[in-house]
Amino acid sequence: MLEIENLSAWYGEAQALRDATLSVAEGEVVTLVGRNGAGKTTLVRCLMGLHKHLTGSIRLDGREITSLPAHKRARAGLGWVQDDRGIFANLSVEENLLLPPKVSDSAWTLEQVYDAFPALGSRRRAGGTTLSGGEQQMLAVARVLRTGARLLLLDEPSEGLAPVIVAQIGDIVRTAKQSGIGVLLIEQNVRFAATVADRHYLLAQGRLVESLDNDEFVERQDELLEHLGI
Amino acid sequence: MNAVLQYTVQGLAAGSFYALAALGLAVIFGVLGVVNFAHGAFYMLGAVAAAVLLDTVGMSLWLALIVVPLLMLVFGMLVERLLVQWLLPLDPLYNLLLTFGLTLLLVDLVKRRYGVSGLPYERPEALSGRVQLGGVGLPVYQLFVIGVALLVCLGVWLLMTRTRVGMIVRAATERPELAGALGINVGRWVTPVFGFGVALAGLAGVLAAPFRAITAEMGSDFIIILFAVVVIGGLGSIVGAVVGGFLVGLVEAFGQAYAPTFAQVLIFVLMAVVVLARPAGLFGREEATA
Ligand SMILES: Nc1ncnc2c1ncn2[C@@H]1O[C@H](COP(=O)(O)OP(=O)(O)O)[C@@H](O)[C@H]1O
Ligand SMILES: [Mg+2]
C-alpha cells in the first residue's frame, strides 16, 4: 500500500536521506531500525509532508502523494504518531481523540478505544498532557486508530516506556495488523521489533543498508545490537 | 468606600474595551502567529463606523453593535486574504510591519475624510444617567459596557471550549504542524479567525463610541496599552487576554484617581513586574512562545 522510491532529503546542504526505497503492504508490520541521527524521523516527516526539501516519489495505494499537503495525507489514510507523542495540552483526552477527522469506515468508536484503553476512559476529561508518558503513548496510538487510518507511522513508540507498556503497544500493533492496517514502526528496541514485525529495514547515515525478514533479523540480533551501539 | 466602587466600575468599563480587543489580538496571534499592529486602527474604525452610521442613516447603537462587527468581520477577512496571507510564510516580523503600515494608512484616510476634531456620538436615552447601587450613583453606560463585554467573553469562551471549531482553533494554536498532520486543514481557518479577531476590535470600538472621543488617533494609545494587556495576560492566551484587559482597566482607573500623573506608568510597571515573575505572562505557556 505504501511505496517509497529513491527518497532523498536535505537540511540545507546536509543530506539526511539518500535514495531510500521501501514498501509496506496491507496488514504488514515493517520496522525501520537505525541509530540516533540515521534519518528515521526525517523519513516519516517526508511521508507526512512536513519535510519538503526532498526528491523521489511516495505512493499510497498507487496514488502519488509526494506533493500533497499534510492534512490531505492524513485524510488519505496515513496515521502519524510523532516521536514526542504529540498530545495537545490544551485539549482534554477525549478532545485529543476526537480532533482528527475520520478517514475510513474502519475507524474505531470511542467505546472501542475506551474498552481497549481503560486508563483513557477514566481520564477522558483530564488535560491531554496530564497523563503519564505511557498513557500519552496509548492516547497517541488510539487517536490514529480512531480515525481509521490504514497505515500507521509509529516513531519510536516504545522509547522510555516500562516493559509492560511496551508489551501493550505490541498487542495494539498486532491487533492493527490483523485488521489489515499496515504499520511502519521506527524502533531502536531490537528485541521489541522482533516480536511484532514481518520485515525490517536497517537505516545508517540516511541510507537503507539492509532489508531483512524477521527470521534473519532474529538470527543476527546480536550483530544488529552492536551496530546500534546498544 | 463609595469612591472605590465608582473607580472599580470605571476601571472594569475601560477594561472591557481592552478585554474585547485583546481577545481578538489573542486569537489572531494564536492561529496566525501574527502580532496585529492594526488592531488599534480596527478599534478606531469600529467607533468611526458607528458614528458615521448614526449620522448618515440614523442607525441606533443597538443595531450598530451587531452591524459594525459584521462589517469589520468582512473587512478583516479581506485584509487577511489580500494582504496578510502573502506574508504568512515569511518571518512574522513582515506582518507586524504590514499591519503597522496599514495602521498609518487607515488613520490618515479617516483624518482626510472626517478631520481631526472628532465625531460626535449621542448616547441612547436608555443608557444615559446613573443608577443608585449601594448608595452610589453609577453611570448606566459603564455598567452596560461591562455587561456586554462579559457576555461576549463568555460567548467566546463557550465557543472555544464547547465547539469543534474551538477545539480546532486551540489545537492549531498549540501545534499547527501537528494539527495539519492529523487531517485538520489549518489554512482554512486562518481567514475567518483573522476576521473574527478584527470584529472583536470593531465591537470594542462601537462600545467606546458613546464613551470616548472618536478621532482617527483614538487607536494609537489604545494599541500600546493593548500590547501591555497581552504581555500581562500571556501572548495568545484567551483567558489571559480577558483577565489582563480588566486588570489593566482597573489599574488605569485607580491610577487616574489616586496618582493621575503616574496612571499610564503604573500599567507598564505592572507589566514589568508580571514579566519578571512570569516571563510568559499570567496565563501564557512557556513553550507556547517558541
Ligand atoms: N531540523 C533539523 N535541522 C538540521 N538538521 C537536522 C534537523 N533534524 C534532523 N537533522 C539531522 O538529520 C539527520 C537525521 O535526523 P533524524 O531524522 O531526526 O534521525 P533519527 O530520527 O533517525 O534519530 C541527523 O543528522 C540530524 O542531525
Ligand atoms: Mg527520531
Side-chain angles (χ1 to χ4, degrees), chain A residues 1-2 44-49 58-61 65 68-81 100-101 103 144 147-153 182 184, chain B residues 180-183:
Chain A
M1 68 193 314
L2 175 74
V44 270
R45 290 179 62 83
C46 289
L47 295 184
M48 283 318 301
I58 304 165
R59 283 193 305 277
L60 188 63
D61 298 325
I65 61 165
L68 283 188
H71 70 272
K72 289 201 175 147
R73 299 189 196 207
R75 286 168 188 226
L78 292 185
W80 182 43
V81 173
V103 300
V144 288
T147 68
R150 290 169 312 110
L151 181 73
L152 305 188
L153 308 172
L184 181 60
Chain B
L182 289 172

Side-chain angles (χ1 to χ4, degrees), chain B residues 178-253:
Chain B
L178 177 61
L182 289 172
I184 305 294
N185 184 358
V186 176
R188 209 180 96 194
W189 296 100
V190 163
T191 309
V193 162
F194 192 86
F196 181 70
V198 171
L200 283 173
L203 176 66
V206 179
L207 277 175
F211 194 63
R212 299 261 195 256
I214 307 171
T215 69
E217 296 286 1
M218 70 188 283
S220 314
D221 288 346
F222 189 76
I223 187 68
I224 301 299
I225 297 191
L226 216 50
F227 282 151
V229 168
V230 292
V231 169
I232 289 168
L235 203 54
S237 160
I238 304 279
V239 178
V242 174
V243 174
F246 285 113
L247 200 61
V248 165
L250 287 171
V251 169
E252 195 179 67

Side-chain angles (χ1 to χ4, degrees), chain A residues 39-147:
Chain A
K40 307 181 297 296
T41 297
T42 304
L43 188 133
V44 270
R45 290 179 62 83
C46 289
L47 295 184
M48 283 318 301
L50 301 173
H51 185 82
K52 299 199 175 72
H53 191 176
L54 59 83
T55 62
S57 136
I58 304 165
R59 283 193 305 277
L60 188 63
D61 298 325
R63 177 184 174 209
E64 181 73 41
I65 61 165
T66 318
S67 55
L68 283 188
H71 70 272
K72 289 201 175 147
R73 299 189 196 207
R75 286 168 188 226
L78 292 185
W80 182 43
V81 173
Q82 212 182 327
D83 48 3
D84 77 346
R85 289 151 200 164
I87 301 305
F88 292 96
N90 289 322
L91 270 58
S92 69
V93 169
E94 188 153 299
E95 286 176 327
N96 266 284
L97 287 169
L98 292 175
L99 177 74
K102 273 189 198 171
V103 300
S104 81
D105 296 334
S106 56
W108 289 28
T109 62
L110 271 187
E111 286 68 42
Q112 279 174 296
V113 168
Y114 292 147
D115 277 346
F117 307 99
L120 301 184
S122 61
R123 308 279 313 273
R124 62 172 79 186
R125 306 238 173 275
T129 49
T130 63
L131 299 181
S132 70
E135 288 165 343
Q136 286 188 38
Q137 191 65 63
M138 297 298 164
L139 177 56
V141 176
R143 181 167 64 186
V144 288
L145 291 172
R146 222 266 332 163
T147 68

Side-chain angles (χ1 to χ4, degrees), chain B residues 157-174:
Chain B
W157 184 77
L158 289 174
L159 182 73
M160 291 298 292
T161 56
R162 298 290 153 85
T163 68
R164 178 155 181 88
V165 175
M167 183 166 98
I168 289 172
V169 167
R170 276 180 287 142
T173 297
E174 187 178 334

Side-chain angles (χ1 to χ4, degrees), chain B residues 117-153:
Chain B
S117 57
L119 299 162
Y121 197 100
E122 194 149 343
R123 208 170 282 182
E125 198 62 45
L127 296 175
S128 318
R130 292 171 176 268
V131 282
Q132 292 297 320
L133 260 181
V136 195
L138 297 171
V140 176
Y141 193 72
Q142 289 183 6
L143 295 172
F144 172 72
V145 167
I146 296 169
V148 172
L150 287 179
L151 220 66
V152 171
C153 290

